[in-house]
Amino acid sequence: MTSAGETPAGARRRVRLAIRHARERKGYTQSAVAEEMEWSLSKVMRIENGEVTIAPNDLRPLLGYLGVKDRAVVSDLLAAAKLSKQRKQWWDAPQLRDGFTPALRQVVQFEPDATALRHFYPQVFPPFIQTPAYSRALLASFRDELPQNVIEARLAIRAERRERFASRPNRPKFYAILDESVFMRAIGGRVVLAEQLKTLLDMIERFSLRIRAIPLTSEAPVPMLAAFEITYLHEESAEDAILYRERDIEDQIVDDPHQIRRHREIFERLWQSIHDEAATIDLIEHHLKNLSDV
């Protein structure tokens, strides 16, 4: 049911999942829904993917077609649809628009609802942890693929995400797995890396971040996966989470519970077989000292 604390993003997710589940129960394809509602197929796909909101005037006949008749359920979903369209948020700012992919937009919309985050980054620091200088140096490596206005917008988005994460009074639990090579890869140069390592140590202490590293000498199998983030909403269950995967300049959102459980299992297997938090801090301090000694 719609609650006073529900965010527009949470309401949108609830509506789109209800639509998708009702369609699947009926055995209808997205094409069949599009034909019946006289919509384009892309509109149906974007609604179910969470890329756009659905207007209450569109939702009511759609629910009827999908067999959702219970008045209380219909009323609740209509209220959620209205909530999902309320007030602009920081990610709607015109200067940030070019920096968002559809998947990234969904991630930042869900972050205010997040209760736990699990990040796996085998090559670079996660966006929440990146310093502005590190982010700029990293995104500069994509200047042949991304226009400068997109790079600037993404830098602003990362800065906003960092600030909002740091200022939340009820910050979500944060767990991250990084490869040791991340602490050695001097993206932007040694000065930038040293600042990044100092910032990471400070964030671990101030925000109780739980970071574990895969040491270069580890015998633990490193999964051949791209960077991913699991965002848990309210409860740490696969049914109440989204998976964000990123490779190069491409990304995607996955809300399939099977895939989310699989990534969580991989994360947990690694978490138990690599450096613990204390050993990881020692490793960060070791690499920071090496940078300072040169």
Side-chain angles (χ1 to χ4, degrees):
M1 299 293 288
T2 303
S3 66
E6 188 171 34
T7 64
R12 177 191 295 183
R13 180 175 187 269
R14 202 154 53 77
V15 170
R16 72 182 180 85
L17 290 179
I19 291 171
R20 191 184 75 188
H21 293 159
R23 176 181 62 78
E24 291 174 345
R25 282 195 300 270
K26 283 288 190 180
Y28 296 159
T29 64
Q30 291 178 324
S31 296
V33 171
E35 182 177 355
E36 174 67 23
M37 301 301 296
E38 297 183 347
W39 296 343
S40 67
L41 176 58
S42 65
K43 177 176 178 176
V44 177
M45 294 174 66
R46 293 176 71 197
I47 289 172
E48 289 198 10
N49 290 338
E51 295 176 26
V52 298
T53 58
I54 181 170
N57 288 342
D58 282 341
L59 179 59
R60 189 183 294 276
L62 175 60
L63 292 175
Y65 171 62
L66 296 177
V68 180
K69 306 289 188 180
D70 185 282
R71 288 186 178 182
V73 173
V74 171
S75 177
D76 177 59
L77 291 174
L78 289 172
K82 291 177 183 177
L83 173 60
S84 71
K85 299 178 75 68
Q86 284 184 6
R87 70 183 183 276
K88 290 186 178 297
Q89 302 286 345
W90 68 264
W91 50 79
D92 296 313
Q95 67 270 25
L96 301 180
R97 187 175 300 122
D98 292 338
F100 280 110
T101 62
L104 180 58
R105 180 177 291 275
Q106 287 192 60
V107 169
V108 301
Q109 289 177 1
F110 287 126
E111 282 171 353
D113 293 325
T115 56
L117 304 167
R118 280 175 169 76
H119 289 193
F120 171 74
Y121 276 79
Q123 295 179 311
V124 298
F125 290 95
F128 277 148
I129 296 171
Q130 292 175 13
T131 64
Y134 185 93
S135 291
R136 183 170 290 279
L138 179 61
L139 287 171
S141 64
F142 296 106
R143 56 182 174 268
D144 291 336
E145 289 86 9
L146 299 175
Q148 189 61 33
N149 65 305
V150 172
I151 290 176
E152 293 299 328
R154 291 194 179 182
L155 286 169
I157 290 167
R158 292 189 183 193
E160 188 72 29
R161 292 177 74 192
R162 281 193 301 269
E163 176 60 29
R164 288 181 178 272
F165 175 79
S167 62
R168 271 187 64 172
N170 58 336
R171 277 186 299 275
K173 292 178 287 185
F174 184 89
Y175 308 83
I177 293 176
L178 310 178
D179 191 75
E180 181 182 355
S181 61
V182 175
F183 307 146
M184 304 166 64
R185 188 170 293 113
I187 293 174
R190 299 175 67 86
V191 173
V192 171
L193 178 59
E195 179 194 24
Q196 178 64 76
L197 293 176
K198 290 177 184 176
T199 298
L200 175 57
L201 290 171
D202 178 63
M203 292 182 71
I204 289 173
E205 181 178 357
R206 285 198 297 142
F207 304 140
S208 300
L209 306 186
R210 299 188 63 183
I211 311 290
R212 293 192 177 188
I214 306 171
L216 295 179
T217 57
S218 174
E219 296 181 0
V222 179
M224 300 303 290
L225 293 174
F228 67 82
E229 304 174 7
I230 305 177
T231 300
Y232 289 95
L233 311 170
H234 311 302
E235 297 181 4
E236 288 195 50
S237 68
E239 289 73 20
D240 203 22
I242 60 169
L243 170 68
Y244 175 75
R245 293 192 293 210
E246 185 177 27
R247 183 188 296 275
D248 196 30
I249 60 172
E250 298 180 351
D251 59 0
Q252 67 175 153
I253 285 287
V254 178
D255 59 14
D256 173 27
H258 173 74
Q259 285 293 325
I260 294 172
R261 277 192 291 269
R262 173 175 174 264
H263 282 72
R264 173 65 182 270
E265 289 167 0
I266 292 171
F267 189 99
E268 291 301 329
R269 284 200 300 270
L270 273 174
W271 187 262
Q272 298 302 326
S273 62
I274 58 179
H275 275 333
D276 63 16
E277 290 92 319
T280 297
I281 289 174
D282 289 342
L283 193 61
I284 297 170
E285 291 175 339
H286 167 74
H287 288 298
L288 180 57
K289 184 177 185 301
N290 286 345
L291 288 170
S292 302
D293 288 344
V294 177

